[in-house]
C-alpha cells in the first residue's frame, strides 16, 4: 500500500517536475510519509525515523573569524609556498633533489640552445630564463611536477619577431636583447591580467586540432632552420641570402640545392649526436621498468663528451663552430629595458600576446594532468597569475619567456618530484652554472646545441601521426581541415600568421557554437499516450504530432545564443529537423499549438526574455497557442516582471507535458 500523501501546491509556488511524466510525484519536500504528516514531524525527523540509512552530512564551518586569520588563510592560497614549505620533510626532499638535478641536466643545455640558436642572444640569457622563472614559480605556482623554463616554440617566436623588426632596409632597428626582455615582460603582464580577470577557462577554447597543426608547423620550421646549422651550411646560407626572416620554403629549397656542400665533420658530429639522443629516448620508452635508465641525462652526456672531443682533437680549427667565450654578467639587477620606436610596439605587443596564449594553454594542460594524477587541486586562474609573475621576473632579469614543458614535466615526475622544491632546485642549479660552469662550455659545438633542439622538435612532430590516425578513424574532417590550415599557414607564411590563425579560428568556432541554442523537437513514442522523447534520439520509434510542435530547450538562454532562436524554430516548424536544407519544400503541416519544455533551462537573461516575448506574440498573431511546461523559479520571476507570463496566459503554464497535451486534446475536441 502506498503510504504517502500528496499535498497540493500553494498558489504562489512554481510548478516543477522530473524528466518522466509517468506517475509523476511532487518534490520530496512536498511528499511526506503519512504518519509523519499526521504527527507534525515533517521538519524535525529523528535519525531512527528517516527512510534512508545514510546520515545527513554535518557542515564543519571553519571559516576565519577575524582579519588576521583571513589573511593567513588567503596568503597560503595566493602564495602556495606558505602551504607546502611548513609541511616539508626530508623524505620529500630526496625525491625532489634527484628530480631537480635530473631536470637541470636537461634544462641547462636547452637554455643555451634556445637562447643562441633560436633567439640569437648570448647563451647566458638562456640560463637566466631557467634560474629566475624556476625559483619564482616555486613560490607562486601550484603544480608540483611542472617544469617551467624556455620552450622551443616560444623562443622561436621571439627570434622571429627580432628578425622581422631588423629585416627592413634600415638594418638593425632594434636591440635584440632589449626587444626580447621587453617582450618577456609584456608576456608576463598579459598572462597576469588573464589570471586577475579570471580567464583561465580560455585554455578549453583552443581546439586540439588547431593547436596540433600550429605546434607541428613550428616543429617543421625549427627543424628546417636547425638543419642548416647541423650540416655546417651557415656561411653558405648567408651568402645566398638566407636570413632569420627567410621563409621555411626558402630554407627547404636552399637545403635541397646545397646539401652536397655540407661540412663533413660538422654533419658527422650532428648525425652522431642526434642518433645518440634519439636512441636514448627510444630505450627509455621501451625499458620503463629500469628507473636508472629513465634518469640517464643523455643531453648532458652529449654536451660533456662533445666538449671534451672538440678540445682534444682541435675541431675548432677544423671547421666546427663552437660556442666560444660566454661573458659572465653575474646577477643582473632588475631593470626595464629601453622601449623601441613606437612603430615597432604594435608587432612586439601582438607577438607577446600570442606567446602568452600559447604558453598558458600548454602549461595549464600540464598542471591539470599532473594534479589529476597525484590527486591535488590546481586553479587555472592561479596558474595564470603565477606564470605571469614568473615571466615578468624573467624579463626584468634579462631572460626570455618561460612556460611549462610537457617533456620536461614528464621527466620531472618520473625522477621523483613531489613538490615545487624540485623546480626550485633546478633554478638554483642554473644559478650555480652561471657562476661556475660557463668557462667549460667554451668548446661546446653549435651543431650539438642544434642537435638538442632538433630532437626536441622531433617529439613535437612525433605526436602528429597519432592525432591524424584518430581524426581519420572517427571521420573528423572538420578537425583535419583546421589542422591543415594552421599547419600550412605556419610553414608557408610565418609563425605569427600561423599563431593568429590558430587563435582566431578557435575564438570564431567557440562563438559559433555558443550562438546556436541547443533545442530539440520532441515527439510521442509510438503505442503510448504519455511518453515523449526527442525525435532525433530514435526517429523510428518517436513520431511527430499533427498540429502540435513540442520544443525542448536544453540549456540556459542568454543574449549570445538567442539570436538564432527564431530562425531555428521556423526551420523546425517547417521541416521537423535542422539537417534538412532550407531550400526544400516544407515537410510538416500548419501549426496550431506549440509547447516549450524548459525543464533544462535553469536561468534566462533579459535579452532572451525579450526574444521569447517577440516569439510568443508572433505565434499569437498567427493564431498559434503557446504553452510552457516545467518552468523554473528564475525564469518564472523574469516572465512575471516582463509581462511575458500575462501574454502566455497563466492557464498555459503546466507542471507536466501530459497536462498540456490533455488541454490541447480537449481544445481539439471542442473545435470538432
Amino acid at each position: 500500500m502506498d503510504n504517502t500523501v500528496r499535498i497540493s501546491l500553494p498558489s504562489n509556488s512554481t510548478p516543477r517536475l522530473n524528466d518522466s511524466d509517468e506517475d509523476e510525484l511532487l518534490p520530496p519536500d512536498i511528499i511526506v510519509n503519512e504518519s509523519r504528516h499526521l504527527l507534525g514531524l515533517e521538519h524535525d525527523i529523528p535519525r531512527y525515523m528517516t527512510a534512508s540509512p545514510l546520515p545527513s552530512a554535518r557542515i564543519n564551518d571553519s571559516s576565519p573569524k577575524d582579519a588576521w586569520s583571513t589573511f593567513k588563510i588567503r596568503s597560503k592560497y595566493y602564495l602556495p609556498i606558505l602551504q607546502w614549505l611548513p609541511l616539508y620533510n626530508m623524505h620529500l626532499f630526496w625525491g625532489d633533489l634527484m628530480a631537480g638535478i635530473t631536470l637541470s641536466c636537461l634544462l641547462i643545455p636547452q637554455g643555451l640552445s634556445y637562447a643562441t640558436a633560436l633567439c640569437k642572444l648570448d647563451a647566458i640569457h638562456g640560463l637566466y630564463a631557467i634560474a629566475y622563472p624556476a625559483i619564482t614559480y616555486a613560490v607562486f605556482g601550484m603544480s608540483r611536477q611542472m617544469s617551467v623554463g624556455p620552450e622551443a616554440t616560444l623562443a622561436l617566436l621571439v627570434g622571429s619577431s627580432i628578425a622581422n623588426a631588423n629585416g627592413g632596409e634600415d638594418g638593425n632597428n632594434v636591440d635584440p636583447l632589449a626587444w626580447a626582455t621587453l617582450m618577456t615582460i609584456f608576456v608576463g603582464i598579459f598572462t597576469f591580467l588573464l589570471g586577475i580577470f579570471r580567464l583561465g577557462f580560455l585554455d578549453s577554447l583552443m581546439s586540439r586540432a588547431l593547436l596540433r597543426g600550429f605546434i607541428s608547423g613550428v616543429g617543421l620550421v625549427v627543424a628546417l632552420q636547425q638543419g642548416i646549422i647541423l650540416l655546417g651550411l651557415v656561411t653558405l646560407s648567408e651568402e645566398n641570402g638566407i636570413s632569420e626572416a627567410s621563409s621555411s620554403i626558402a630554407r627547404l629549397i636552399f637545403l635541397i640545392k646545397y646539401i652536397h656542400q655540407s661540412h663533413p665533420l660538422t654533419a658527422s658530429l650532428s648525425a652522431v649526436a642526434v642518433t645518440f639522443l634519439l636512441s636514448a629516448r627510444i630505450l627509455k620508452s621501451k625499458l620503463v621498468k629500469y628507473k636508472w635508465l629513465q634518469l640517464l641525462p643523455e643531453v648532458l652526456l652529449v654536451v660533456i663528451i662533445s666538449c671534451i672531443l672538440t678540445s682534444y682533437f682541435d675541431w675548432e680549427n677544423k671547421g666546427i663552430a663552437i660556442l666560444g667565450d660566454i661573458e659572465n654578467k653575474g646577477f643582473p639587477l632588475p631593470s626595464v629595458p629601453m622601449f623601441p620606436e613606437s612603430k615597432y610596439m604594435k608587432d612586439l605587443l601582438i607577438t607577446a600576446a600570442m606567446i602568452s596564449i600559447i604558453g598558458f594553454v600548454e602549461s595549464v594542460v600540464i598542471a591539470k594532468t599532473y594534479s589529476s594524477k597525484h590527486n591535488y587541486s590546481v586553479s587555472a586562474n592561479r596558474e595564470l597569475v603565477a606564470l605571469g609573475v614568473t615571466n615578468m621576473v624573467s624579463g626584468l632579469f634579462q631572460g626570455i619567456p618561460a612556460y611549462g614543458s610537457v617533456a620536461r614535466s614528464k621527466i620531472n615526475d618520473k625522477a621523483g618530484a613531489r613538490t615545487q622544491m624540485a623546480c626550485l632546485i633546478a633554478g638554483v642549479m642554473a644559478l650555480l652554472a652561471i657562476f661556475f660552469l660557463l668557462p667549460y662550455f667554451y668548446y661546446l659545438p653549435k651543431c650539438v646545441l642544434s642537435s638538442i633542439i632538433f630532437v626536441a622538435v622531433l617529439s613535437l612532430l612525433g605526436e602528429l601521426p597519432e592525432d591524424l590516425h584518430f581524426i581519420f578513424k572517427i571521420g573528423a574532417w572538420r578537425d583535419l581541415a583546421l589542422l591543415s590550415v594552421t599547419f600550412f599557414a605556419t610553414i608557408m607564411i610565418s609563425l605569427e600568421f600561423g599563431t593568429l590563425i590558430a587563435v582566431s579560428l578557435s575564438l570564431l568556432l567557440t562563438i559559433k557554437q555558443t550562438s546556436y541554442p541547443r533545442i530539440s523537437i520532441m515527439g510521442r513514442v509510438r503505442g503510448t499516450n504519455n511518453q515523449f522523447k526527442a525525435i532525433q534520439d530514435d526517429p523510428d520509434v518517436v513520431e511527430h504530432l499533427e498540429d502540435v510542435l513540442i520544443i525542448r530547450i536544453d540549456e540556459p538562454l542568454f543574449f549570445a545564443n538567442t539570436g538564432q532562436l527564431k530562425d531555428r524554430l521556423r526551420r523546425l516548424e517547417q521541416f521537423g529537423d535542422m539537417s534538412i536544407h532550407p531550400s526544400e519544400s516544407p515537410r510538416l503541416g500548419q501549426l496550431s499549438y506549440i509547447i516549450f519544455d524548459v525543464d533544462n533551462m535553469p536561468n534566462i537573461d533579459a535579452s532572451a526574455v525579450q526574444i521569447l516575448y517577440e516569439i510568443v506574440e508572433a505565434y499569437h498573431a498567427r493564431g498559434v497557442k503557446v504553452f510552457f511546461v516545467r518552468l523554473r523559479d528564475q525564469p518564472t520571476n523574469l516572465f512575471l516582471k516582463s509581462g511575458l507570463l500575462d501574454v502566455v496566459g497563466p492557464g498555459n503554464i503546466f507542471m507536466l507535458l501530459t497536462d498540456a497535451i490533455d488541454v490541447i486534446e480537449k481544445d481539439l475536441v471542442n473545435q470538432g
Side-chain angles (χ1 to χ4, degrees):
M1 175 180 176
D2 186 2
N3 200 28
T4 62
V5 57
R6 287 175 172 78
I7 303 173
S8 60
L9 280 167
S11 59
N12 62 349
S13 66
T14 303
R16 185 75 182 89
L17 69 149
N18 300 322
D19 293 336
S20 174
D21 284 346
E22 296 182 8
D23 192 25
E24 187 66 27
L25 297 179
L26 295 176
D29 59 335
I30 297 178
I31 302 175
V32 296
N33 185 278
E34 180 179 345
S35 59
R36 297 175 196 160
H37 175 66
L38 294 175
L39 292 171
L41 299 176
E42 299 98 323
H43 304 293
D44 188 14
I45 304 171
R47 172 72 191 91
Y48 63 85
M49 291 184 66
T50 56
S52 171
L54 295 175
S56 301
R58 296 185 181 274
I59 305 300
N60 181 20
D61 184 9
S62 58
S63 56
K65 306 302 181 185
D66 54 70
W68 176 244
S69 300
T70 302
F71 173 76
K72 288 195 295 183
I73 291 176
R74 297 292 185 270
S75 61
K76 289 181 181 179
Y77 178 77
Y78 291 107
L79 287 174
I81 193 172
L82 299 179
Q83 185 172 7
W84 62 264
L85 191 58
L87 304 175
Y88 203 71
N89 56 54
M90 291 303 295
H91 176 72
L92 295 171
F93 176 73
W94 294 117
D96 288 338
L97 178 64
M98 181 60 70
I101 294 173
T102 304
L103 201 57
S104 60
C105 292
L106 175 64
L107 264 171
I108 291 172
Q110 280 189 345
L112 297 172
S113 304
Y114 297 159
T116 56
L118 298 181
C119 296
K120 304 302 178 184
L121 301 174
D122 291 339
I124 196 168
H125 298 289
L127 298 181
Y128 290 153
I130 298 170
Y132 296 108
I135 294 171
T136 306
Y137 184 81
V139 175
F140 291 92
M142 300 181 74
S143 177
R144 303 169 189 173
Q145 283 76 33
M146 185 164 70
S147 167
V148 174
E151 268 285 85
T153 305
L154 309 182
L156 184 60
L157 281 171
V158 174
S160 176
S161 67
I162 294 172
N164 291 334
N166 287 330
E169 297 179 356
D170 299 336
N172 296 326
N173 301 308
V174 299
D175 176 29
L177 177 58
W179 181 278
T181 53
L182 185 63
M183 180 178 290
T184 304
I185 292 174
F186 276 109
V187 166
I189 292 172
F190 289 144
T191 309
F192 181 81
L193 291 177
L194 287 174
I196 290 296
F197 290 109
R198 305 186 66 78
L199 297 177
F201 64 89
L202 290 176
D203 71 292
S204 59
L205 302 186
M206 199 74 167
S207 163
R208 181 184 175 94
L210 286 169
L211 198 58
R212 176 57 57 213
F214 171 73
I215 290 176
S216 300
V218 169
L220 188 58
V221 169
V222 175
L224 290 172
Q225 185 189 61
Q226 299 307 305
I228 295 174
I229 302 174
L230 291 172
L231 297 174
L233 296 172
V234 176
T235 303
L236 188 60
S237 67
E238 292 172 351
E239 293 172 356
N240 283 271
I242 300 296
S243 65
E244 293 301 317
S246 299
S247 68
S248 299
I249 302 299
R251 287 193 176 94
L252 179 62
I253 293 172
F254 170 80
L255 284 171
I256 294 173
K257 189 175 180 180
Y258 292 101
I259 192 171
H260 64 281
Q261 297 187 31
S262 301
H263 185 261
L265 186 56
T266 302
S268 300
L269 180 58
S270 300
V272 171
V274 169
T275 302
F276 177 78
L277 292 172
L278 286 176
S279 300
R281 289 199 173 196
I282 293 171
L283 283 174
K284 285 184 176 182
S285 64
K286 298 293 184 182
L287 303 175
V288 180
K289 59 182 180 179
Y290 298 106
K291 188 172 182 179
W292 64 269
L293 184 62
Q294 304 301 315
L295 301 180
L296 179 71
E298 71 275 10
V299 176
L300 186 63
L301 286 176
V302 166
V303 168
I304 293 172
I305 294 171
S306 62
C307 287
I308 293 172
L309 293 177
T310 303
S311 173
Y312 184 79
F313 291 107
D314 196 25
W315 284 346
E316 176 188 1
N317 296 318
K318 295 180 181 179
I320 286 187
I322 61 172
L323 197 56
D325 286 318
I326 304 175
E327 183 184 355
N328 191 341
K329 301 177 182 179
F331 286 132
L333 294 175
S335 60
V336 177
M338 182 178 63
F339 278 61
E341 295 180 32
S342 57
K343 62 181 179 180
Y344 298 113
M345 281 301 297
K346 178 183 175 183
D347 293 335
L348 185 146
L349 293 175
I350 290 174
T351 306
M354 292 176 178
I355 291 174
S356 173
I357 293 172
I358 294 169
F360 105 78
V361 167
E362 186 172 6
S363 298
V364 170
V365 169
I366 296 168
K368 289 181 178 179
T369 298
Y370 287 102
S371 67
S372 176
K373 178 180 178 181
H374 295 283
N375 194 29
Y376 62 91
S377 62
V378 295
S379 163
N381 295 314
R382 284 292 306 119
E383 283 298 288
L384 281 170
V385 170
L387 291 167
V389 175
T390 294
N391 279 282
M392 284 190 279
V393 171
S394 180
L396 291 172
F397 285 93
Q398 301 182 12
I400 57 177
Y403 282 93
S405 162
V406 174
R408 291 198 307 264
S409 299
K410 189 181 296 184
I411 292 171
N412 196 30
D413 180 45
K414 287 183 178 179
R418 290 300 173 262
T419 70
Q420 293 88 325
M421 180 63 77
C423 196
L424 181 64
I425 291 171
V428 172
M429 294 293 290
L431 289 178
L432 294 175
I434 291 171
F435 274 99
F436 302 110
L437 299 182
L438 292 183
Y440 298 100
F441 293 127
Y442 177 89
Y443 287 104
L444 179 58
K446 289 185 176 180
C447 64
V448 171
L449 292 176
S450 292
S451 299
I452 296 169
I453 298 173
F454 187 79
V455 172
V457 298
L458 283 183
S459 65
L460 299 180
L461 293 170
E463 297 173 4
L464 180 60
E466 183 180 347
D467 280 8
L468 287 175
H469 176 264
F470 182 77
I471 287 172
F472 280 103
K473 181 180 179 181
I474 65 174
W477 309 123
R478 190 187 74 167
D479 283 4
L480 179 63
L482 294 173
L483 188 152
S484 302
V485 166
T486 51
F487 178 79
F488 288 111
T490 302
I491 63 173
M492 299 185 72
I493 302 177
S494 69
L495 288 173
E496 291 78 9
F497 186 75
T499 310
L500 186 62
I501 285 289
V503 174
S504 301
L505 286 178
S506 288
L507 293 176
L508 288 174
L509 288 172
T510 302
I511 293 170
K512 179 184 176 183
Q513 291 294 332
T514 56
S515 66
Y516 286 99
R518 292 194 297 119
I519 59 177
S520 306
I521 184 169
M522 298 183 70
R524 182 173 57 199
V525 178
R526 286 192 177 96
T528 67
N529 292 325
N530 61 352
Q531 292 188 24
F532 299 88
K533 291 178 62 177
I535 292 176
Q536 64 184 16
D537 292 345
D538 200 349
D540 296 329
V541 175
V542 185
E543 58 187 3
H544 289 276
L545 297 178
E546 188 175 353
D547 299 331
V548 181
L549 185 65
I550 306 174
I551 299 295
R552 186 181 69 193
I553 298 177
D554 293 321
E555 64 179 348
L557 292 181
F558 64 111
F559 68 94
N561 66 357
T562 48
Q564 303 289 331
L565 185 58
K566 293 180 181 178
D567 179 63
R568 291 175 74 85
L569 286 174
R570 190 178 300 112
R571 288 182 63 179
L572 287 174
E573 181 183 333
Q574 293 177 342
F575 305 107
D577 191 344
M578 288 300 297
S579 64
I580 307 299
H581 196 274
S583 63
E584 298 186 19
S585 301
R587 301 188 177 189
L588 297 179
Q590 282 296 108
L591 184 66
S592 300
Y593 307 91
I594 184 168
I595 302 173
F596 289 99
D597 183 350
V598 290
D599 184 46
N600 295 324
M601 187 186 76
N603 50 67
I604 188 172
D605 73 355
S607 299
V609 170
Q610 285 184 302
I611 296 290
L612 283 179
Y613 198 110
E614 295 169 3
I615 289 172
V616 171
E617 284 190 324
Y619 277 125
H620 284 173
R622 292 167 48 195
V624 178
K625 293 185 178 181
V626 181
F627 302 86
F628 280 85
V629 298
R630 316 202 216 196
L631 196 59
R632 296 198 180 197
D633 291 341
Q634 192 267 354
T636 299
N637 291 333
L638 281 187
F639 277 34
L640 186 62
K641 292 177 181 178
S642 65
L644 178 56
L645 200 61
D646 295 329
V647 174
V648 175
N652 290 345
I653 307 292
F654 295 98
M655 295 172 54
L656 305 177
L657 185 54
T658 49
D659 289 345
I661 295 295
D662 289 342
V663 170
I664 292 172
E665 289 175 345
K666 291 176 182 177
D667 192 47
L668 290 172
V669 170
N670 293 335
Q671 290 180 12

